[in-house]
Amino acid sequence: ARYERKLPKSRRSVTSAGRRLTSESILIFRKPSLPLRIPTRYQAFGYEEELAQRELDAMHSASNLAPDSLRRLAFSSGVVLAGRQSSTWQHLIEDNGSARKKNSTYASHGLHRYKGKFYPQLAKCLLNISREIDGIVLDPFAGSGTVALEASLLGIRSHSIELNPVGAAIARAKVESLSLPPAFLREMGASIADHTRGRLRGCDWTQFPPESRDEVSSWFAPRVASRLARLLAAIRDVARKGPADRVEALRLVGEVVASDLIRSASHQEDSDLRIRRTATPHEDFPLESAFLERWNLLVDRLEHVAEVRALGMPALGVASFERGDSRALEIWPDSCSTVVTSPPYAAALPYIDTDRLSLAAVFGWPKQSRRELESALIGSREISGSSHTEMFTAISSMSLTEELPASTRNFLFDLAGRVASDPDAGFRKQQTPSVLAKYFIAMNDVFRNIRNRVTDNGHVWFVVGDSFTTVAGQRITIPTTDELVSVAIENGLGLADVTPITVTRESLRNSHNAIVRNSILHFRPT
């Protein structure tokens, strides 16, 4: 501020120069008003506090964001600016009545279980640090659509690529459910309840693809198969009676909710990600009541989202989806300003085995199609005998494609030598070097696509961790993180920073082999 003051004539300086002054200015300086973040009510990890400060700094310095943009913060419950306190949208939308527990199933994030699901608050934070608002966010390994959903809630356009049909269906259902009126969904649930009341009258096998009916009969008790067929018929029939432009979305959301119940209702051991029958198979399972409980919980959460959005959240961002292979450049957008993804690890989780019953019973993928799909997934452990022989020979002779960095080729060469000298190595172990080579070659193609499509001032975020294998009794780390950094650099991306993070371990069979540490890799085009 500046104030002018007239000087009195009777009290001027004794000097002639001072007596010529008739006024003076009072200048008041103040440090700029900096925003103050209010921490989350739950206990945050150290890396979350670090990321919280980074997103606050990034968004406060952004010139293209609206004045209330700090309400987008992911790891803060509120912000104080110029003496005014505001709750973040994340705090309001995540609020589950608990002051000490983090909620990662808000909105439609809890629609369907998905092993290795991206942590939603982290996805939002990385978008904020990128100061993303105007461009397109790309996720080339969409999984269950966490990035797409967070981008949509922030009013950002997104494009997602996912080859696994279950993941692709979940991702679309999560985002599309946001734009469906909760009141209509509530009525749809009541109509499905009406359709599924009464005595079972045998199984309507027309609800299952002909190629999958033997598998459904083998993995579900007769009464459960009948209940599942009746539930699917109700979902599809009620959806067809909805508005013409919403029929596909309504059917998809209903089928995804039903899909999440499949493993629990089947003879599959629910704690095992691979194919294993439970010791005590279900003779019956209350599918209808379980579905309605899940459905109403989803509607409750969507109603809460609608109430928070009415307080001034941005309009939902447009999301596009492509079920396909991220190595195919033609299914990528022409350009994107931010990439946020959590790619599959080398020798990845058995995504197809885990959801094979959903693929068969709900989404119409019989065994043969699933085998081909499993082999095509990046990170899959499946490799044909001829491909393994060709790849192993190339690794052992150091003639593997020179597109891969020398460090990656040297690691694979060393591992192949160890495996070849281990007399106890089974066929899976013998294939490990070839499977890993296949993975790194595929990731090289993806990084090349990223560099071709990301803008020159863009941000690329990969959340990934190292797995391990055991050869001749010795545990060997598969340096996925370091080698992906090398592959990215080879393709014109510079490593800006690395942030280590912890990973929650789930109570599943073989969870002692789970990855417990990840890294956030931040790349910028060079």
Side-chain angles (χ1 to χ4, degrees), residues 372-388:
E372 297 169 359
L373 183 65
E374 177 75 42
S375 180
L377 288 178
I378 293 178
S380 171
R381 298 197 309 171
E382 302 302 321
I383 187 171
S384 68
S386 58
S387 296
H388 159 59

Side-chain angles (χ1 to χ4, degrees), residues 285-452:
F285 187 88
L287 262 173
E288 300 91 341
S289 60
F291 174 87
L292 290 172
E293 181 179 351
R294 295 284 187 89
W295 184 268
N296 289 328
L297 177 60
L298 171 65
V299 177
D300 289 343
R301 289 171 174 167
L302 293 176
E303 284 178 341
H304 179 64
V305 172
E307 291 169 359
V308 176
R309 289 186 57 222
L311 298 177
M313 285 184 69
L316 293 173
V318 176
S320 58
F321 297 92
E322 193 76 47
R323 200 198 71 76
D325 191 331
S326 55
R327 286 169 285 190
L329 186 60
E330 61 269 18
I331 63 176
W332 289 51
D334 291 338
S335 70
C336 59
S337 53
T338 303
V339 175
V340 179
T341 194
S342 181
Y345 303 156
L349 294 165
Y351 292 105
I352 301 304
D353 278 354
T354 301
D355 291 313
R356 76 190 185 288
L357 295 178
S358 288
L359 285 164
V362 180
F363 300 110
W365 284 75
K367 282 184 180 180
Q368 183 56 42
S369 298
R370 297 200 307 267
R371 291 193 190 100
E372 297 169 359
L373 183 65
E374 177 75 42
S375 180
L377 288 178
I378 293 178
S380 171
R381 298 197 309 171
E382 302 302 321
I383 187 171
S384 68
S386 58
S387 296
H388 159 59
T389 301
E390 181 182 349
M391 193 77 76
F392 197 92
T393 301
I395 295 169
S396 302
S397 63
M398 288 296 285
S399 60
L400 192 66
T401 174
E402 293 189 358
E403 290 183 346
L404 292 181
S407 61
T408 309
R409 286 181 276 127
N410 289 337
F411 163 72
L412 294 171
F413 175 78
D414 178 70
L415 180 62
R418 290 171 181 261
V419 168
S421 61
D422 181 5
D424 297 323
F427 86 97
R428 284 287 187 193
K429 195 68 63 180
Q430 294 170 17
Q431 290 180 340
T432 298
S434 300
V435 167
L436 295 179
K438 178 184 173 186
Y439 170 78
F440 287 118
I441 290 171
M443 292 303 296
N444 182 71
D445 293 339
V446 174
F447 274 112
R448 184 189 302 117
N449 289 347
I450 288 174
R451 190 60 190 93
N452 283 334

Side-chain angles (χ1 to χ4, degrees), residues 149-167:
L149 178 54
E150 286 303 316
S152 186
L153 288 171
L154 289 173
I156 300 169
R157 290 178 295 165
S158 67
H159 185 79
S160 302
I161 302 171
E162 177 56 47
L163 186 56
N164 179 1
V166 173

Side-chain angles (χ1 to χ4, degrees), residues 96-123:
N96 60 356
S98 172
R100 298 184 178 276
K101 188 175 181 181
K102 185 184 303 178
N103 177 13
S104 294
T105 59
Y106 58 88
S108 50
H109 279 302
L111 186 61
H112 194 295
R113 290 173 295 175
Y114 196 81
K115 180 61 179 172
K117 186 184 77 170
F118 206 160
Y119 168 22
Q121 288 90 338
L122 176 57

